[in-house]
Amino acid sequence: VEVATVVASETERARRTVETGERTRPLDAPPSVLGKLELFVEALVKEETARASTGRARPVDNNAANRGPLADAERRAAALVDVLFHYETERYNALRDSGLIQRPMDQSPPNPLGVVEGVTVGVVRAPILVAALVARIRELIDEVRTEEAARSTTPAFDPSER
């Protein structure tokens, strides 16, 4: 069926080209695979031109008017990865909760591999926790400074000045 559509579209395109003396694009002929392909390539070129001119690294970072097939593919791939991640997390949790999977550090009595895992996890998590703690302390200090600055610039109400 698709071959017949392409043949009919190309025949019409050739007829128009002969009539007008100008080349007719597949997109301007009756709908066919070639017209869809031309539309796809045109959208791809527009998207990549916009992305290159703005210096963005990812197609999905283009503004909405310039997003095309690559941005759509990236969005779909990211959504698929999110679904797979969620599914695998749920599957792991179900297996862990049923007792079929145990991390070495969760086993009793402790074994050498569990001790190594516990130390490694602690070493990896410690800097992350310290960084989060330092960031929160900085936020609180900035908040206190902002409040002190606001108090020092706001004059106190003096009823005797009336």
Side-chain angles (χ1 to χ4, degrees):
V1 175
E2 194 64 48
V3 173
T5 305
V6 171
V7 169
S9 177
E10 287 302 299
T11 303
E12 175 63 21
R13 196 163 74 90
R15 187 188 64 72
R16 286 183 188 177
T17 299
V18 170
E19 280 180 6
T20 62
E22 294 179 5
R23 226 169 112 183
T24 306
R25 296 171 43 189
L27 189 59
D28 297 332
S32 73
V33 173
L34 293 177
K36 293 175 186 174
L37 180 63
E38 181 182 359
L39 197 62
F40 176 80
V41 170
E42 194 174 275
L44 193 67
V45 168
K46 177 185 173 193
E47 177 183 30
E48 283 300 290
T49 302
R51 187 181 65 79
S53 68
T54 59
R56 293 188 172 100
R58 298 172 51 208
V60 80
D61 292 337
N62 274 344
N63 61 25
N66 294 323
R67 287 191 195 128
L70 292 177
D72 186 48
E74 182 179 350
R75 184 187 52 76
R76 289 175 189 235
L80 176 64
V81 168
D82 288 344
V83 167
L84 290 175
F85 179 79
H86 177 73
Y87 171 77
E88 287 299 317
T89 302
E90 289 297 317
R91 188 175 72 83
Y92 171 77
N93 289 339
L95 289 171
R96 186 191 66 215
D97 293 346
S98 69
L100 294 174
I101 293 179
Q102 268 192 332
R103 294 176 66 181
M105 69 183 210
D106 294 336
Q107 291 180 358
S108 182
N111 59 27
L113 188 57
V115 172
V116 170
E117 182 185 8
V119 169
T120 304
V121 167
V123 167
V124 169
R125 288 185 182 168
I128 295 169
L129 293 174
V130 169
L133 179 66
V134 168
R136 181 62 181 142
I137 290 171
R138 285 183 178 159
E139 286 176 14
L140 292 172
I141 290 172
D142 289 344
E143 198 174 292
V144 168
R145 286 182 180 160
T146 304
E147 287 174 3
E148 287 176 356
R151 274 192 228 123
S152 66
T153 59
T154 305
F157 176 69
D158 186 6
S160 62
E161 291 183 8
R162 288 181 118 188

